[in-house]
Amino acid sequence: MATLLHLDSSLNGENSHSRAVTAAFREAWESEHPDGTVVYRDLAADPLPHLTAPAYYAGFSDPAAHTPEEQSAFALRKQLLEEAEQADALLIGAPMYNYSIASGLKTWLDHVIAVGRTVASEQPTLAGKPATVVTSRGGAYGPGTPSEGQDHLQPYLEMILGEKLGLKTDFILAELTMAPNVPAMAELIPLYEKSHQQSRADAETRGRTLAKQLAA
């Protein structure tokens, strides 16, 4: 049985566009692989504590030699690392906030980026796992748009998840999510609706396909 690690980081609860798309992926995954396991973390509703110096530096030493303080500090980081390592696939909801990722997702990354284990290792422990990243943003940042070049979310995640952690990363994008709420963007509502529908369809297809592959 395959295990999916599902992370959401949107602050918007039921009104979240990224959560709607990750939910579509997960529903498709579970319908195709009902015997599988889903480990879920809501990084907004149940935020992780920021990485501390004792927890960080404990990652460079032998766990058997950790002091009680280091053991306590490293306990959560160890749990988060093992959740990612034991997963067969990752699903990450990553809305854009202020041109980059949510602070809750950044905190999770700080815990699971471990030198000599998940990065900078001859055998990085997350390498090769498929990761589906659902990104959403209020505007559009592609070539030719007024905001071209201001997207610091997807390039960062491509680098950190793909190049550094070695995950096989696919992105699903829902954009122009502010169009229904901003009068000046009213003419963009059809493009928003098309993007949102396409992102949900892509998520459902990806969820089913990945579940089939991993359950085979």
Side-chain angles (χ1 to χ4, degrees):
M1 296 185 294
T3 297
L4 175 69
L5 176 58
H6 176 186
L7 308 172
D8 277 324
S9 60
S10 170
L11 306 176
N12 291 329
E14 294 180 355
N15 297 318
S16 165
H17 295 277
S18 64
R19 287 176 185 269
V21 179
T22 59
F25 178 106
R26 178 171 170 174
E27 289 169 8
W29 166 286
E30 292 178 324
S31 67
E32 193 66 44
H33 190 35
D35 296 327
T37 300
V38 177
V39 176
Y40 180 65
R41 281 193 176 271
D42 189 329
L43 302 175
D46 189 16
L48 299 168
H50 290 297
L51 182 65
T52 63
Y56 176 75
Y57 287 108
F60 290 92
S61 59
D62 182 355
H66 286 175
T67 66
E69 179 187 13
E70 289 173 328
Q71 289 177 359
S72 177
F74 193 69
L76 175 60
R77 194 174 180 204
K78 178 176 181 290
Q79 179 182 354
L80 296 170
L81 281 162
E82 290 177 349
E83 282 179 356
E85 290 168 342
Q86 292 167 8
D88 297 288
L90 284 76
L91 171 63
I92 302 172
M96 177 185 285
Y97 291 129
N98 299 318
Y99 308 103
S100 188
I101 63 174
S103 61
L105 179 55
K106 177 60 167 62
T107 300
W108 179 83
L109 287 168
D110 286 342
H111 283 285
V112 300
I113 296 170
V115 175
R117 182 167 174 172
T118 59
V119 299
S121 169
E122 292 184 0
Q123 295 182 319
T125 54
L126 302 184
K129 296 178 185 291
T132 302
V133 182
V134 174
T135 70
S136 61
R137 63 279 313 271
Y141 295 80
T145 65
S147 298
E148 180 181 358
Q150 297 178 22
D151 174 9
H152 302 287
L153 182 153
Q154 185 163 333
Y156 171 73
L157 290 179
E158 287 176 343
M159 181 271 292
I160 205 69
L161 296 175
E163 297 177 25
K164 301 303 181 182
L165 294 174
L167 295 164
K168 295 180 179 179
T169 310
D170 288 315
F171 285 82
I172 296 174
L173 169 63
E175 62 181 0
L176 298 169
T177 61
M178 291 297 294
N181 303 309
V182 177
M185 297 176 68
E187 64 181 14
L188 299 175
I189 290 176
L191 292 177
Y192 149 71
E193 292 174 341
K194 180 179 179 181
S195 174
H196 189 62
Q197 291 169 3
Q198 186 63 55
S199 64
R200 287 179 64 95
D202 289 345
E204 291 170 358
T205 299
R206 178 65 176 160
R208 283 194 299 269
T209 300
L210 195 56
K212 287 180 180 178
Q213 292 174 350
L214 295 175

